[in-house]
Amino acid sequence: MSPTWVQLAYLVAALCFVLALKGLSTPKHARAGNLLGAAGMALAVVVAFVHGAVHNGLLIVLAVAAGVVVGIPAARSVRMTAIPQMVALFNGVGGAAAALVALTEFLEVADGSVLFQVATALTVLIGSVSFSGSVVTFLKLQEVMTTRPVLLPAGRVLGIGVAAASALLAVLVVVTGSGALLVLLAAAGLALGVLFVLPVGGADVPIAISLLNAFTGLAVAASGYVLANTLLIVSGTLVGASGTILTRLMAQAMGRPLTNILFGAFKARDVTAVSGEQRTVRSGTVEDVAILLGYAHSVLVVPGYGLAVAQAQHAARELAQVLEQRGITVDYGIHPVAGRMPGHMNVLLAEADVPYENLKELDDVNPGIGSVDVVLVVGANDVVNPGARDEPSSPIYGMPIFDVDRAKAVVFMKRSMRPGFAGVDNALLYNPKTTLLFGDAKDSLTKLLAAVKHV
Amino acid sequence: MIDLLTIFVLAVFVGFEVVSKVSTILHTPLMSGANAIHGVILVGAILITGRAEGALEIALGLAAVFLATVNVVGGFVVTDRMLEMFKGHKR
């Protein structure tokens, strides 16, 4: 057991973490909360180092320095649009660290109690799942691999098989205390993480990240039992519990039960064949759209990830200003999951100085959407897809959307006919009210801005 | 053993309680902040490396220290950058 002063310092750190999570739940205290969390962490790390670095002190300092040199520039330089995958990656390395800690402790302390063995097996298993799962979510968000659900042949059987094998290995590790089996368990955990995330598609990936985040928390809590360290137990459990709640809240914001998201894709689902019928779309010129906008009374801009990627926020804001000078009301409809993660679009638009009061949420917009003259969909797709409302067979069925098909006219700015992040075709594109404007969002908006000035 | 279990159960309730009400716009920063906090595994990584004697244990421990540090500093910095964006845009 550690001396009293160490325990006290850990208590203060744990308190900082609780207050940090509390602060992060309210806009007013979010930043202070985060800084308090960082301060608690600094305290805990310094105390652990002073008290625990009996050997290898210099090496530990070097490893921490290397982590700082890698971590800070990565976090500083990442573009706002790429933040979700960065969060996934940081979560993954945390999971890997927990697994390594338990493995190392296992090698150092050969004869542990049953509690120790159980905790070790759990930490290694959950940490490995979290690591490989996070890496796959990273690859999906970075679009290195397809964002659609990946269904392996017999994926379900394989998943259940690997899960059963992992459970068996975990029991064997506890019974035999074999290091070799523990390494096998880690390998099984890695496979399980990949199988777990592969079938999760497009818009649901952030929810998987949030769940893996909770998993890493649990792995850290379990490692607290391995090391008999209360700070690890408390902090890990805090993250595990709050992460679970957060995952549920995020799923609710998308109007989807969690089990659907995680296991929905296991069911053989025939994504509605669209290729059979040739539906026609109407594409317009910048001038057509400028006239449409110039004579409108109210305009709703629905921004999506495409706007963010094209860095078109500033162009959108300028266009809105010009329209407002003509006496047109311009609002922004911000879907809770626009972008790549809940709240992501708010961050991106805040970066572009779009006035906060102009950002409207679903419930503010939808009741009056029938009287909106023109909806300008900029690089968004899934959040305005009527299929989420009308087609029970659609993978995004049940997700709340902007009912833009009920507005008087829709202008859809898109790079190509390629489906959106969720990989689902959008009936709105074929709606007679819809005018398509192909091209890069920033480019189109800039041209539109010039054209509107001449209307 | 019972002590540790008590701590665990209490922490579960605190964890549920602190984030029971949070607006959608803060979901991503909150996730990222929680992510940084589980980087506290760095404390464990330092402790085991401080005890390690064999070359393999030292190597594994140092790898854990490195990864946990990336988790901690990256997590807090990314969260701060996100929250910075909200500055001056509050209702």
Side-chain angles (χ1 to χ4, degrees):
Chain A
M1 206 61 185
S2 320
T4 311
W5 65 272
V6 174
Q7 295 297 331
L8 272 176
Y10 285 167
L11 176 64
V12 173
L15 205 58
C16 286
F17 296 158
V18 172
L19 293 173
L21 288 175
K22 186 83 196 153
L24 280 164
S25 315
T26 50
K28 207 171 152 201
H29 301 118
R31 205 163 178 213
N34 186 51
L35 293 176
L36 189 62
M41 188 65 75
L43 172 70
V45 169
V46 168
V47 167
F49 184 80
V50 172
H51 166 243
V54 185
H55 304 293
N56 313 317
L58 182 63
L59 287 174
I60 294 174
V61 171
L62 287 176
V64 169
V68 171
V69 165
V70 171
I72 291 189
R76 280 251 140 246
S77 63
V78 62
R79 289 170 49 157
M80 278 294 157
T81 46
I83 283 215
Q85 49 266 50
M86 204 70 199
V87 172
L89 215 52
F90 288 146
N91 179 52
V93 296
L100 284 178
V101 165
L103 187 63
T104 313
E105 181 70 3
F106 189 82
L107 294 174
E108 286 177 16
V109 186
D111 54 339
S113 64
V114 173
L115 176 70
F116 171 83
Q117 310 271 44
V118 170
T120 304
L122 275 180
T123 312
V124 169
L125 178 61
I126 306 174
S128 309
V129 168
S130 184
F131 171 67
S132 64
S134 298
V135 169
V136 177
T137 54
F138 170 81
L139 295 176
K140 284 193 178 213
L141 290 171
Q142 191 72 28
E143 300 190 19
V144 173
M145 60 177 284
T146 173
T147 57
R148 295 183 183 211
V150 176
L151 299 177
L152 298 175
R156 186 165 205 170
V157 177
L158 198 62
I160 293 171
V162 175
S166 309
L168 182 67
L169 278 169
V171 172
L172 287 177
V173 166
V174 174
V175 174
T176 63
S178 150
L181 285 176
L182 192 63
V183 173
L184 263 182
L185 179 64
L190 292 175
L192 195 58
V194 173
L195 290 172
F196 175 66
V197 179
L198 274 183
V200 177
D204 296 334
V205 172
I207 296 180
I209 296 179
S210 178
L211 194 64
L212 291 170
N213 190 31
F215 277 10
T216 307
L218 288 180
V220 171
S223 79
Y225 286 97
V226 177
L227 300 174
N229 183 304
T230 46
L231 179 64
L232 296 188
I233 297 176
V234 172
S235 325
T237 310
L238 269 179
V239 175
S242 59
T244 308
I245 293 284
L246 184 60
T247 308
R248 262 193 59 210
L249 290 174
M250 284 167 67
Q252 270 167 12
M254 299 184 65
R256 329 198 44 197
L258 198 54
T259 46
N260 255 19
I261 293 166
L262 298 175
F263 305 111
F266 278 124
K267 294 173 205 142
R269 186 172 40 205
D270 206 11
V271 176
T272 347
V274 193
S275 48
E277 49 172 325
Q278 278 296 327
R279 291 187 282 180
T280 52
V281 295
R282 191 162 59 111
S283 68
T285 64
V286 169
E287 286 71 26
D288 299 335
V289 176
I291 290 168
L292 198 61
L293 287 175
Y295 292 99
H297 293 289
S298 58
V299 172
L300 177 72
V301 181
V302 179
Y305 189 70
L307 171 136
V309 169
Q311 293 285 308
Q313 310 94 314
H314 294 276
R317 185 175 47 93
E318 281 173 47
L319 177 65
Q321 278 168 347
V322 171
L323 292 175
E324 276 166 348
Q325 280 158 15
R326 296 173 68 109
I328 303 166
T329 345
V330 184
D331 284 321
Y332 294 81
I334 310 295
H335 192 277
V337 295
R340 285 290 188 262
M341 267 191 182
H344 192 201
M345 187 52 66
N346 300 69
V347 173
L348 297 172
L349 290 182
E351 190 192 11
D353 292 326
V354 171
Y356 193 81
E357 342 33 285
N358 290 7
L359 307 185
K360 298 282 192 293
E361 290 179 30
L362 273 173
D363 297 340
D364 301 333
V365 169
N366 272 343
I369 206 158
S371 59
V372 172
D373 293 317
V374 185
V375 175
L376 202 57
V377 181
V378 191
N381 194 11
D382 301 328
V383 300
V384 293
N385 189 341
R389 189 186 62 217
D390 304 332
E391 284 171 39
S393 65
S394 170
I396 59 169
Y397 181 68
M399 183 173 95
I401 52 156
F402 285 108
D403 296 325
V404 301
D405 51 338
R406 293 186 179 144
K408 291 177 188 158
V410 179
V411 174
F412 216 126
M413 291 190 170
K414 242 177 121 42
R415 243 208 276 261
S416 67
M417 284 300 284
R418 196 172 151 251
F421 193 51
V424 196
D425 204 44
N426 192 342
L428 186 65
L429 295 172
Y430 309 99
N431 189 313
K433 283 186 207 169
T434 305
T435 309
L436 280 153
L437 195 56
F438 286 113
D440 171 80
K442 188 176 182 179
D443 194 41
S444 296
L445 282 170
T446 313
K447 284 184 191 152
L448 199 53
L449 182 65
V452 166
K453 283 180 181 159
H454 287 106
V455 170
Chain B
M1 161 98 195
I2 293 296
D3 287 353
L4 296 183
L5 204 61
T6 312
I7 292 169
F8 176 75
V9 172
L10 290 179
V12 167
F13 279 98
V14 174
F16 282 162
E17 204 50 45
V18 282
V19 299
S20 57
K21 285 183 236 63
V22 49
S23 75
T24 330
I25 66 159
L26 282 172
H27 281 176
T28 300
L30 180 61
M31 187 203 301
S32 177
N35 182 18
I37 289 174
H38 68 50
V40 73
I41 188 65
L42 177 54
V43 165
I46 290 175
L47 293 178
I48 52 149
T49 314
R51 281 201 291 258
E53 280 169 1
L56 177 64
E57 285 90 338
I58 293 176
L60 288 174
L62 288 175
V65 170
F66 169 74
L67 294 176
T69 308
V70 171
N71 184 186
V72 167
V73 297
F76 281 118
V77 171
V78 157
T79 312
D80 190 60
R81 272 188 69 199
M82 270 188 259
L83 295 170
E84 200 178 16
M85 297 301 162
F86 289 124
K87 197 174 52 184
H89 298 280
K90 288 162 206 148
R91 263 188 249 262

